[in-house]
C-alpha cells in the first residue's frame, strides 16, 4: 500500500484546535465513516491556555515526572526536531501566526476505514479540511515548503522516488496534485486546493474533486442530515473542544463479517450447529448506527459526552439490560472509596437474553443446556435457573478501596466489593450450599463466620501465601435478605459494609455534599447508572507499585508523584438509556479548583 503523506497538515494537526465558511458536516456526505472535528481551533486553543489543567501540566515537577515515565530521562537524539522548531525554522511561522491563518473549523474525515484499515484492502480515502484566513499566496508558499520536505524525506527511503506538483482546473478552482513516481508506478499521492475560504487536502484525487463540488454546488446527501448523526448531536453540548464520530451503519457490516468469519474459522462452533448466518442474526451487530464522543473544556474541568445509537436492541445489545426506577442510594459505600458505581443493570434479564441469543445462534444448544439443568436438579433437587439465574435483580453496586501497605515489599492491592440484588435469599443460599457439595472437598476450602446475624463465607488462604500480596486479602461472600455481597479484600471492611447496610442513617460517598454537587452538574432524569472515581487516590499507589516492579527503571527507584498531581483529580459519570441508544456524560475536575 502506498504511503499517503498529508503534507503540511501533518504539522498543522499536531498544533491542535469567525469565518463564515459552510459547516463541514454539510459538505461531507453521509458515506463518511469517521470524522474528527474541531469547530474553532482558536477558541479551543484559548480555552486550553486559560484552563487550570494547563497550569498543572506545565508545572516543572509534572514535566519532569512524565519525562521520567516516557523516556527514562533520556534526551532526544540530534535528528529529532520538535514541532515548534519545524514550524519556526522550516515554515517561518510562530504558533500565534499559525492560528491566525487557521482560526476556525478543522476536520479529518475518512471514507474507507472498513477497507483500508479493517480489511487491509485499497488505498486510504480521506480528507482534511481547515478554514483559512490568510492570503492565497501565503498558503502556496507553505505548501511548497512541505512539498519539498516530503519529497526529500521519501527520496531518502527510496532513491528512485520522484515528485511533481501539477495543476488542474476544476469548476473554476485550481487543484494542486502531487504526482509521484516510485521507480515502478506513477500515481497521485494527494492533492489540495483553496476554495471559498476552505483549505482541502485529500486522497485520492477523486475525493478532492468531490469535496470541491460539494462546496461549490452543495452536497446531495450531507452528513448533517443523517439520522444517526443528528441523533448523536442532540446531547453533544457546545463550546470549545472536539468531537469524534463513527458511522457504524457503514462500519459494522464489514466488521461484523470479519468478526464472525474469525469465530467460524476454527470449525468448533459448527459442532453445535452454529452457522455464519445464525451467528450474524444472534449478534445483530448491524443494528448499531453511530458512536459519537465529544470532549469539551469547562471552567474547572473537562466534560465528555458520548452516545451509542442503534436501530433496535437485539442480539449483543440486548445483554446491556437496564431496569427503570430509582438508583440505589448505597449509603454503605465508604466515603474514602477509590471508585464507586451504582446502576440498575438487570443481571437476571441479561442472562435470560443471553440464553435467547444462544438459542438463535444454535437451536440445538438450548436443549443441551436444559438437559444439564435437569440433571443437576435431579441430583440435588435445586432448580438452578430459578434459584440463581432468575433470582438476580436489577440493582448492582460495586466499589473499590485502596489502602497503603506499611510493608514496602507488599504491593497494595485494590479491594473490590460487589452487591447484587436478589429476589429470594433462601433459594440462593440453598443453591450455593448444594453446589459446594458437587465439588469434591469443596466445603473444606470454605470458612464460615457469624457476624451481626449474617454468615460470612470466606475462601481459605493458601498455606504458602504470595509474599508480595497482603495475606488479609480474602475472597468472601454474604447472602443478606435482599443482596448477594461479594468481596475481595479485608474481612474488616466487609464487616463494616454489613453494619452500614443495616444503618439507615449511614452516609457514604454518594451522600457527600461535594459528590452530590458534582453529579447535579451532569444529572438527567431517569439515569440508569452513576459512577465516581478519585483518580488522585489511585495515582499514588499505582505509581508506587509500578516503581517497585521496575517499570520506570531500577526497582525501588523512589519515583515520587508531584504534589500537584497527588491530590487533584476526580471524575464522575452518568448514563441514560432510551429506546434508540445509550447516552453518557462524564466530568473530570481538579479538586483544588
Amino acid at each position: 500500500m502506498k504511503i499517503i503523506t498529508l503534507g503540511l497538515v501533518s504539522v498543522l494537526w499536531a498544533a491542535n484546535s469567525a469565518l463564515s465558511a459552510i459547516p463541514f458536516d454539510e459538505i461531507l456526505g453521509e458515506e463518511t465513516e469517521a470524522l474528527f472535528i474541531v469547530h474553532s481551533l482558536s477558541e479551543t486553543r484559548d480555552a486550553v491556555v486559560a484552563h487550570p489543567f494547563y497550569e498543572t501540566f506545565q508545572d516543572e515537577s509534572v514535566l519532569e515526572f512524565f519525562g521520567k515515565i516516557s523516556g527514562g530521562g533520556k534526551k532526544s537524539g540530534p535528528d529529532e526536531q520538535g514541532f515548534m522548531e519545524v514550524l519556526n525554522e522550516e515554515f517561518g511561522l510562530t504558533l500565534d501566526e499559525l492560528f491566525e491563518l487557521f482560526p476556525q473549523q478543522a476536520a479529518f474525515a475518512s471514507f474507507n476505514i472498513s477497507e483500508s484499515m479493517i480489511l487491509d484492502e485499497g488505498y486510504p480515502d480521506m480528507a482534511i479540511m481547515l478554514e483559512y484566513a490568510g492570503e492565497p499566496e501565503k498558503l502556496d508558499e507553505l505548501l511548497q515548503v512541505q512539498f519539498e520536505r516530503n519529497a526529500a524525506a521519501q527520496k531518502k527511503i527510496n532513491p528512485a522516488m520522484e515528485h511533481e506538483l501539477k495543476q488542474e482546473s476544476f469548476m473554476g478552482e485550481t487543484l494542486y496534485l502531487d504526482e509521484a513516481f516510485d521507480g515502478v508506478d506513477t500515481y497521485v499521492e494527494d492533492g489540495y486546493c483553496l476554495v471559498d475560504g476552505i483549505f482541502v487536502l485529500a486522497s485520492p484525487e477523486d475525493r478532492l474533486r468531490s469535496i470541491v463540488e460539494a462546496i461549490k454546488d452543495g452536497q446531495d446527501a450531507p452528513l448533517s442530515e443523517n439520522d444517526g448523526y443528528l441523533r448523536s448531536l442532540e446531547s453533544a453540548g457546545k463550546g470549545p473542544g472536539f468531537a469524534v464520530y463513527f458511522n457504524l451503519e457503514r462500519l459494522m457490516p464489514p466488521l461484523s463479517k470479519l468478526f464472525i468469519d474469525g469465530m467460524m474459522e476454527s470449525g468448533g462452533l459448527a459442532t453445535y450447529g452454529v452457522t455464519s448466518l445464525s451467528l450474524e442474526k444472534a449478534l445483530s451487530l448491524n443494528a448499531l448506527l453511530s458512536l459519537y464522543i465529544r470532549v469539551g473544556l469547562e471552567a474547572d474541568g473537562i466534560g465528555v459526552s458520548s452516545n451509542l445509537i442503534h436501530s433496535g436492541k437485539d442480539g449483543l445489545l440486548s445483554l446491556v439490560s437496564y431496569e427503570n426506577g430509582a438508583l440505589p442510594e448505597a449509603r454503605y459505600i465508604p466515603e474514602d472509596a477509590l471508585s464507586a458505581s451504582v446502576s440498575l443493570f438487570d443481571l437476571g434479564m441479561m442472562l435470560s437474553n443471553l440464553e435467547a441469543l444462544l438459542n438463535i445462534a444454535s437451536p440445538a444448544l438450548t436443549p443441551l443446556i436444559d438437559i444439564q439443568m435437569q440433571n443437576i436438579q435431579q441430583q440435588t433437587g435445586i432448580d438452578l435457573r430459578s434459584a440463581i439465574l432468575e433470582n438476580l435483580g436489577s440493582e448492582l453496586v460495586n466499589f473499590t478501596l485502596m489502602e497503603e501497605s506499611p510493608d514496602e515489599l507488599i504491593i497494595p492491592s485494590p479491594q473490590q466489593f460487589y452487591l447484587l440484588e436478589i429476589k429470594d435469599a433462601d433459594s440462593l443460599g440453598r443453591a450455593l450450599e448444594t453446589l459446594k457439595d458437587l465439588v469434591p472437598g469443596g466445603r473444606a476450602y470454605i470458612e464460615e463466620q457469624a457476624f451481626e446475624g449474617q454468615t460470612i463465607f470466606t475462601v481459605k488462604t493458601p498455606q504458602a501465601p504470595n509474599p508480595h500480596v497482603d495475606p488479609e486479602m480474602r475472597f468472601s461472600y454474604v447472602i443478606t435478605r435482599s443482596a448477594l455481597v461479594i468481596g475481595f479484600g479485608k474481612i474488616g471492611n466487609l464487616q463494616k459494609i454489613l453494619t452500614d447496610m443495616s444503618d439507615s442513617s449511614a452516609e457514604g460517598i454518594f451522600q457527600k455534599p461535594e459528590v452530590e454537587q458534582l453529579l447535579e452538574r451532569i444529572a438527567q432524569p431517569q439515569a440508569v447508572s452513576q459512577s465516581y472515581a478519585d483518580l488522585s487516590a489511585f495515582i499514588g499507589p499505582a505509581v508506587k507499585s509500578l516503581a517497585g516492579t521496575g517499570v520506570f527503571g531500577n526497582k525501588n527507584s523512589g519515583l515520587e508523584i508531584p504534589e500537584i498531581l497527588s491530590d487533584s483529580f476526580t471524575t464522575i459519570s452518568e448514563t441514560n438509556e432510551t429506546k434508540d441508544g445509550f447516552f453518557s456524560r462524564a466530568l473530570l475536575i481538579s479538586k483544588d479548583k
Side-chain angles (χ1 to χ4, degrees):
M1 179 181 293
K2 298 181 178 69
I3 298 175
I4 304 300
T5 301
L6 298 179
L8 173 65
V9 183
S10 62
V11 178
L12 300 177
W13 215 253
N16 214 77
S17 33
L19 298 178
S20 56
I22 307 169
F24 289 170
D25 57 8
E26 294 182 12
I27 298 171
L28 298 169
E30 62 180 7
E31 79 276 11
T32 305
E33 292 188 353
L35 173 66
F36 175 93
I37 188 165
V38 181
H39 293 290
S40 174
L41 283 170
S42 293
E43 183 183 1
T44 299
R45 181 203 180 197
D46 292 343
V48 168
V49 174
H51 200 273
F53 284 7
Y54 182 82
E55 180 181 349
T56 297
F57 286 95
Q58 289 298 308
D59 185 87
E60 185 176 343
S61 63
V62 175
L63 293 174
E64 181 180 356
F65 170 74
F66 283 110
K68 289 181 179 179
I69 291 179
S70 62
K74 296 180 181 179
K75 296 182 179 180
S76 299
D79 295 332
E80 295 181 12
Q81 290 182 298
F83 163 72
M84 291 305 301
E85 185 178 352
V86 172
L87 184 66
N88 297 156
E89 297 184 4
E90 301 288 339
F91 294 95
L93 291 175
T94 65
L95 194 60
D96 288 338
E97 290 170 338
L98 177 65
F99 279 96
E100 287 174 3
L101 293 176
F102 301 95
Q104 295 299 318
Q105 294 181 89
F108 169 80
S110 177
F111 306 90
N112 71 338
I113 292 179
S114 55
E115 293 179 2
S116 63
M117 296 181 65
I118 298 174
L119 301 178
D120 195 25
E121 298 175 355
Y123 298 103
D125 185 350
M126 64 182 71
I128 289 180
M129 305 166 64
L130 300 118
E131 286 192 50
Y132 181 68
E135 297 295 328
E137 295 77 13
K138 182 63 176 179
L139 184 62
D140 290 339
E141 175 189 333
L142 296 174
L143 268 296
Q144 182 62 37
V145 171
Q146 179 56 29
F147 173 77
E148 294 172 0
R149 293 181 76 247
N150 175 53
Q154 291 196 14
K155 200 167 188 66
K156 285 184 178 180
I157 300 173
N158 179 7
M161 198 77 191
E162 296 179 6
H163 284 269
E164 182 179 357
L165 195 60
K166 293 191 172 183
Q167 296 184 24
E168 174 186 310
S169 180
F170 180 75
M171 298 187 72
E173 304 293 341
T174 300
L175 309 186
Y176 296 85
L177 305 176
D178 183 356
E179 186 176 88
F181 174 68
D182 60 8
V184 178
D185 298 320
T186 299
Y187 57 93
V188 174
E189 190 168 88
D190 53 33
Y192 72 89
C193 69
L194 179 64
V195 51
D196 294 350
I198 301 174
F199 167 74
V200 183
L201 185 146
S203 175
E205 55 187 299
D206 285 346
R207 178 58 61 186
L208 178 63
R209 295 188 186 98
S210 70
I211 291 179
V212 171
E213 187 175 7
I215 296 173
K216 303 286 286 185
D217 291 345
Q219 175 66 249
D220 292 336
L223 179 62
S224 60
E225 296 180 8
N226 177 270
D227 290 340
Y229 182 76
L230 283 172
R231 185 71 173 101
S232 294
L233 293 183
E234 290 181 13
S235 62
K238 305 293 183 182
F242 64 87
V244 181
Y245 162 78
F246 292 98
N247 186 347
L248 300 183
E249 192 171 4
R250 290 180 61 89
L251 286 171
M252 289 316 298
L255 261 179
S256 176
K257 183 178 185 304
L258 189 68
F259 176 69
I260 290 172
D261 287 349
M263 291 188 69
M264 297 298 299
E265 202 169 89
S266 65
L269 292 177
T271 305
Y272 298 99
V274 178
T275 67
S276 295
L277 289 176
S278 68
L279 190 57
E280 180 182 357
K281 185 178 180 181
L283 297 177
S284 297
L285 295 177
N286 293 342
L288 296 170
L289 298 180
S290 69
L291 172 64
Y292 189 91
I293 303 170
R294 182 184 181 278
V295 179
L297 296 174
E298 303 195 11
D300 60 349
I302 298 175
V304 179
S305 61
S306 61
N307 52 67
L308 181 67
I309 308 300
H310 58 77
S311 60
K313 198 174 172 184
D314 300 317
L316 206 60
L317 276 178
S318 69
L319 302 185
V320 187
S321 304
Y322 290 103
E323 182 62 79
N324 295 323
L327 288 168
E329 287 188 318
R331 292 179 172 272
Y332 45 79
I333 301 179
E335 289 189 350
D336 60 349
L338 179 71
S339 64
S341 70
V342 293
S343 75
L344 294 172
F345 191 83
D346 194 330
L347 287 167
M349 180 62 70
M350 182 201 74
L351 293 172
S352 176
N353 290 339
L354 176 60
E355 191 171 358
L357 185 153
L358 293 175
N359 186 48
I360 294 173
S362 171
L365 191 59
T366 300
L368 295 178
I369 296 175
D370 289 338
I371 291 172
Q372 291 300 321
M373 291 283 192
Q374 292 170 7
N375 288 338
I376 293 175
Q377 185 170 3
Q378 289 175 357
Q379 294 175 25
T380 65
I382 298 295
D383 182 354
L384 288 184
R385 182 173 275 106
S386 62
I388 298 180
L389 304 183
E390 296 175 357
N391 201 0
L392 299 174
S394 60
E395 292 189 1
L396 177 63
V397 178
N398 75 276
F399 54 93
T400 304
L401 305 178
M402 178 82 84
E403 299 176 2
E404 290 194 23
S405 172
D407 187 344
E408 292 187 357
L409 295 178
I410 296 179
I411 299 173
S413 300
Q415 301 181 55
Q416 299 283 348
F417 296 92
Y418 300 85
L419 287 91
L420 290 65
E421 180 188 19
I422 55 176
K423 303 170 185 177
D424 187 339
D426 291 338
S427 176
L428 177 62
R430 289 194 301 270
L432 293 181
E433 288 302 304
T434 300
L435 290 176
K436 292 176 188 177
D437 292 330
L438 294 180
V439 179
R443 288 189 177 276
Y445 294 98
I446 305 295
E447 296 177 349
E448 296 184 18
Q449 175 185 349
F451 179 79
E452 296 187 357
Q454 307 288 351
T455 301
I456 301 175
F457 298 90
T458 304
V459 177
K460 291 182 178 179
T461 303
Q463 293 182 349
N466 187 333
H468 299 295
V469 177
D470 190 334
E472 293 188 40
M473 297 289 289
R474 312 283 295 280
F475 175 81
S476 306
Y477 76 89
V478 180
I479 301 174
T480 71
R481 287 189 304 172
S482 59
L484 171 62
V485 185
I486 301 172
F488 182 77
K490 297 182 178 181
I491 297 297
N493 286 326
L494 179 58
Q495 291 173 336
K496 184 178 185 306
I497 293 166
L498 294 173
T499 298
D500 290 343
M501 286 179 67
S502 60
D503 183 0
S504 60
S505 64
E507 293 191 350
I509 198 165
F510 284 106
Q511 285 72 49
K512 293 175 67 173
E514 56 267 36
V515 176
E516 289 181 331
Q517 291 170 8
L518 285 176
L519 287 169
E520 286 175 0
R521 293 174 56 176
I522 62 171
Q524 294 289 338
Q526 299 179 326
V528 295
S529 74
Q530 287 180 341
S531 70
Y532 164 91
D534 182 354
L535 299 184
S536 56
F538 171 79
I539 292 173
V543 171
K544 178 182 176 182
S545 299
L546 291 173
T549 62
V551 170
F552 302 136
N554 295 328
K555 290 188 177 182
N556 303 316
S557 59
L559 184 65
E560 296 292 337
I561 299 292
E563 186 176 350
I564 197 171
L565 286 180
S566 63
D567 189 27
S568 297
F569 302 104
T570 295
T571 181
I572 56 169
S573 67
E574 183 179 84
T575 299
N576 287 76
E577 181 182 9
T578 65
K579 64 179 181 180
D580 64 347
F582 302 94
F583 295 80
S584 299
R585 301 157 300 284
L587 180 64
L588 171 68
I589 68 161
S590 171
K591 295 193 296 184
D592 298 331
K593 303 300 179 183

